[in-house]
Amino acid sequence: MRVTISPVARHVFLRLGLLGALLAFPARALIVPFTGWTPVDGNANVWTDSAGACLLREERHGQAFPTFDTQDKALAFAKRLQASLGKSAVREVVTQPVGRAGGWAVLAAYTYEDGGVAYRISQLYLSDSGILRTVTGSSAQHEASECVNAMREFLRYLAN
C-alpha cells in the first residue's frame, strides 16, 4: 500500500529542523507501534498513518547532545529550548523533561504555520551516545483523527 502525503505536509515536515541546518546521519529505523502506519517512500525513518493525517520522523544529527541524568538538567535544557523556539517562527511553545529508561529526554510541543495551514508539532530530543536524535510528530492543528492522540502518547511515553 502506498500512502500519499500532501505537498504542504511534506514541505512542512522537511523544514522542521528547528535547531538549525544540521547534518543528518543515517539513523536506525524507527519502530512505530501503530497498526496501519507505513514508511513514507520506503524510508523507515518517516512514517504516516493510513489516512495521511499524522506523520512521524526520526533523525540523528551530527550535533553533540548531552545525556540528562537528572530531571533538573533536562529541565534546564527544556527552559533554554523553550526560549529559543519562542524566538523562532513557531508559537504556543511548551517544553518539559520526560523520563526515559536510565535518564531523561526533553519533549517540545508547538504550533508551526506553513502556507496558511497550522500544524501541531511534538518533538522529542534524545541523546543517542552523545549525539542529538529527534523524533518528531506532526498533524494539522485541529486534526481529530485517532492517530493524533496515539502519536502524541507514543512521543510522550514510549519513543526512545
Side-chain angles (χ1 to χ4, degrees):
M1 178 173 134
R2 182 173 166 90
V3 177
T4 305
I5 298 176
S6 76
V8 170
R10 183 178 301 258
H11 175 74
V12 166
F13 213 74
L14 293 174
R15 291 184 53 196
L16 284 179
L18 293 178
L19 287 180
L22 301 173
L23 175 63
F25 293 113
R28 68 180 189 273
L30 181 63
I31 298 172
V32 178
F34 308 122
T35 303
W37 283 59
T38 57
V40 175
D41 296 331
N43 182 349
N45 293 320
V46 183
W47 290 75
T48 188
D49 69 303
S50 58
C54 296
L55 199 62
L56 276 171
R57 172 186 292 280
E58 178 184 40
E59 295 178 284
R60 183 180 166 124
H61 308 276
Q63 178 175 334
F65 192 73
T67 300
F68 302 121
D69 55 359
T70 68
Q71 184 177 13
D72 287 340
K73 289 178 183 176
L75 181 59
F77 174 77
K79 289 177 180 178
R80 288 191 312 271
L81 178 63
Q82 184 166 0
S84 177
L85 289 172
K87 295 175 185 174
S88 69
V90 301
R91 62 184 198 277
E92 301 170 342
V93 179
V94 178
T95 61
Q96 67 182 57
V98 291
R100 289 297 183 263
W104 292 86
V106 172
L107 182 65
Y110 49 88
T111 301
Y112 176 79
E113 191 169 320
D114 188 56
V117 179
Y119 295 90
R120 194 67 187 155
I121 310 299
S122 296
Q123 190 167 42
L124 183 65
Y125 294 77
L126 302 155
S127 179
D128 189 353
S129 301
I131 302 296
L132 175 62
R133 185 166 57 91
T134 58
V135 182
T136 307
S138 173
S139 62
Q141 185 172 18
H142 298 291
E143 179 62 51
S145 299
E146 289 181 22
C147 68
V148 174
N149 285 335
M151 177 181 66
R152 290 181 184 159
E153 286 179 11
F154 171 71
L155 289 166
R156 171 66 180 95
Y157 298 108
L158 300 173
N160 200 6

